[in-house]
Amino acid sequence: MIIDERLARKIVVRRQVDSHKGTYGRVLLIGGFYPYGGAIIMSALATVKSGAGLVTVATERENIAALHAHLPEAMAFDCEDEEFLAENLAKADVVLIGSGLGENSKAKRVFEEVLSKVSENQILLVDGSALNLLAKATPVFCQAGHIILTPHQKEWERLSGLAIADQSLEKTQAALAHFPKETILVAKSHHTKILQASQVGELTVGGPYQATGGMGDTLCGMIAGFVAQFRDNLFESVAVATYLHSAIAEQLSKEAYVVLPTTISAVLPKVMKKLSE
């Protein structure tokens, strides 16, 4: 698959006149446990600014004020509130877990709760430390209708058993076949690829100006926002979100030595507006 502006224009369509918040999807983001509070804030910024209708964040209580200082548009609650967590898990169209989650006992408990509660009509996006928890989970029980994994090469090594030197396209697709059928893999590297067992797309944009903390958190937030809204072809929606993340960074790099993830999110609504016209 060619991932370019033409595909982006196909996916990013004009908003319906007769629509409301629910039309554009409910997204639940889980993470930002101490000391990684900024990660979930960056993910939430990207999810809201990509156009998701209703965004809720489950994080540590101490992180909520900082989140709302950056993003009053997002709802938030203490991840220790089990009743709230169960309620919001049931309502979500998309669940993103992993941005700043960590791997301590609380993170593991919350992760296992999510895996056991997601249903076949939901999309589960697993990022960051949740990928490491997934690699350790034996056996993996998950009924999500669609799973999206966003590992960098070392995380994919833990998930797939493939050493970085062995992560060829053919071996990666073979390893991906051992995951549930609808799984989409965003294999992050300097040549990021988006794969399913039967199809693949590769980015031709992006560069070292993206090598800074929080870039992956912003990417997974964008993906969550896109799959919440543009559901006709999830593989293409994931591919376009990933493409725009790097394409915007590439444009910004013409005037910046390093591109900050939050700057990508800030520019995103205007870029999507132009694509939809």
Side-chain angles (χ1 to χ4, degrees):
M1 172 193 288
I2 298 173
I3 308 174
D4 57 9
E5 185 176 321
R6 183 167 56 179
L7 182 63
R9 289 185 180 279
K10 172 186 173 184
I11 296 299
V12 183
V13 296
R14 289 186 180 183
R15 291 199 154 195
Q16 303 169 36
V17 174
D18 183 13
S19 63
H20 53 83
K21 290 177 289 188
T23 306
Y24 304 106
R26 292 176 177 265
V27 183
L28 173 63
L29 298 91
I30 305 168
F33 294 3
Y34 181 83
Y36 310 113
I40 203 69
I41 294 173
M42 286 185 281
S43 291
L45 277 165
T47 306
V48 169
K49 288 181 178 291
S50 64
L54 290 161
V55 177
T56 303
V57 178
T59 188
E60 290 188 330
R61 181 180 294 273
E62 295 79 6
N63 198 36
I64 293 175
L67 169 68
H68 280 157
H70 287 278
L71 190 68
E73 295 86 353
M75 297 167 282
F77 65 91
D78 185 352
C79 62
E80 295 281 12
D81 190 326
E82 295 182 6
E83 184 177 342
F84 247 73
L85 181 58
E87 178 184 330
N88 281 276
L89 268 173
K91 290 179 179 178
D93 301 304
V94 180
V95 178
L96 187 164
I97 185 166
S99 299
L101 185 71
E103 297 180 49
N104 61 20
S105 57
K106 181 168 68 173
K108 184 178 179 182
R109 173 175 54 79
V110 171
F111 179 70
E112 290 174 349
E113 175 81 359
V114 170
L115 279 190
S116 67
K117 292 286 179 64
V118 291
S119 64
E120 62 183 8
N121 64 344
Q122 294 175 307
I123 300 167
L124 176 64
L125 203 165
V126 185
D127 181 63
S129 48
L131 292 162
N132 295 331
L133 293 175
L134 183 64
K136 297 174 185 176
T138 307
V140 175
F141 175 77
C142 179
Q143 294 187 18
H146 299 272
I147 298 174
I148 303 167
L149 307 174
T150 59
H152 56 58
Q153 288 174 295
K154 194 63 180 179
E155 290 165 339
W156 181 237
E157 179 179 277
R158 298 185 190 109
L159 277 168
S160 67
L162 289 173
I164 293 175
D166 295 328
Q167 291 174 15
S168 65
L169 176 59
E170 294 76 14
K171 289 182 179 180
T172 293
Q173 282 191 295
L176 188 58
H178 296 288
F179 289 81
K181 183 179 178 182
E182 300 296 335
T183 299
I184 298 171
L185 174 67
V186 180
K188 296 184 293 191
S189 72
H190 65 294
H191 290 303
T192 295
K193 296 179 177 64
I194 299 89
L195 306 99
Q196 274 185 318
S198 60
Q199 56 184 331
V200 60
E202 183 173 354
L203 295 190
T204 58
V205 291
Y209 38 81
Q210 293 174 267
T212 188
M215 197 60 72
D217 303 308
T218 294
L219 172 59
C220 69
M222 287 177 62
I223 292 172
F226 270 62
V227 297
Q229 297 170 85
F230 311 123
R231 307 179 200 179
D232 290 343
N233 187 317
L234 290 184
F235 185 86
E236 290 184 349
S237 294
V238 171
V240 167
T242 308
Y243 163 78
L244 287 179
H245 177 262
S246 290
I248 291 171
E250 185 170 271
Q251 184 64 33
L252 292 170
S253 75
K254 294 177 180 179
E255 297 182 359
Y257 181 74
V258 61
V259 175
L260 297 184
T262 50
T263 309
I264 295 175
S265 294
V267 171
L268 183 58
K270 290 184 178 180
V271 172
M272 292 178 71
K273 171 66 174 175
K274 289 180 180 179
L275 290 170
S276 70
E277 291 175 341

